[in-house]
Amino acid sequence: NWRKVRDFEGGEGWVHQSLLSGSRTVMIRPEDETPADALPLRQSGDAAARLVARVEPQVVASIDKCFADWCRIEAGGYRGWIERNLLWGIYPDEELN
């Protein structure tokens, strides 16, 4: 009934499953791994797609789906697509539908 968890700084520990949510979340990568500016959230998984919002590093977001190099997230009431490499909490080859 215990789950091993790891935070974005590499710390690990054990948490009882009753304290964990079933919803999947990710975090916008910390500033030391990304540019300090807010990062673009797009209408579709394309760098040329319309800008929906900008998200700050270390914001926690709900994740909806991922494919190839893009993931659809929701943060601060905005929903859109962001490049996978800008997220912490999703494996490089993991696909969510």
Side-chain angles (χ1 to χ4, degrees):
N1 294 338
W2 293 87
R3 303 288 186 255
K4 190 172 186 180
V5 297
R6 180 181 44 190
D7 69 18
F8 74 96
E9 294 174 320
E12 292 182 344
W14 292 90
V15 177
H16 194 271
Q17 70 179 9
S18 66
L19 299 174
L20 297 172
S21 166
S23 63
R24 185 76 183 267
T25 58
V26 291
M27 185 178 75
I28 309 305
R29 287 210 179 264
E31 290 181 17
D32 62 330
E33 297 181 34
T34 60
D37 297 334
L39 302 167
L41 194 60
R42 306 252 175 219
Q43 187 173 25
S44 66
D46 183 331
R50 183 178 69 84
L51 183 68
V52 172
R54 291 192 173 273
V55 289
E56 297 285 334
Q58 296 189 345
V59 164
V60 175
S62 297
I63 189 164
D64 182 34
K65 59 177 81 175
C66 286
F67 68 91
D69 296 330
W70 292 86
C71 293
R72 185 176 180 208
I73 64 169
E74 183 174 347
Y78 294 95
R79 183 176 292 160
W81 293 85
I82 189 166
E83 291 179 76
R84 179 192 293 258
N85 66 333
L86 300 176
L87 300 175
W88 181 89
I90 184 86
Y91 294 107
D93 297 329
E94 185 177 1
E95 295 215 6
L96 297 174
N97 295 320

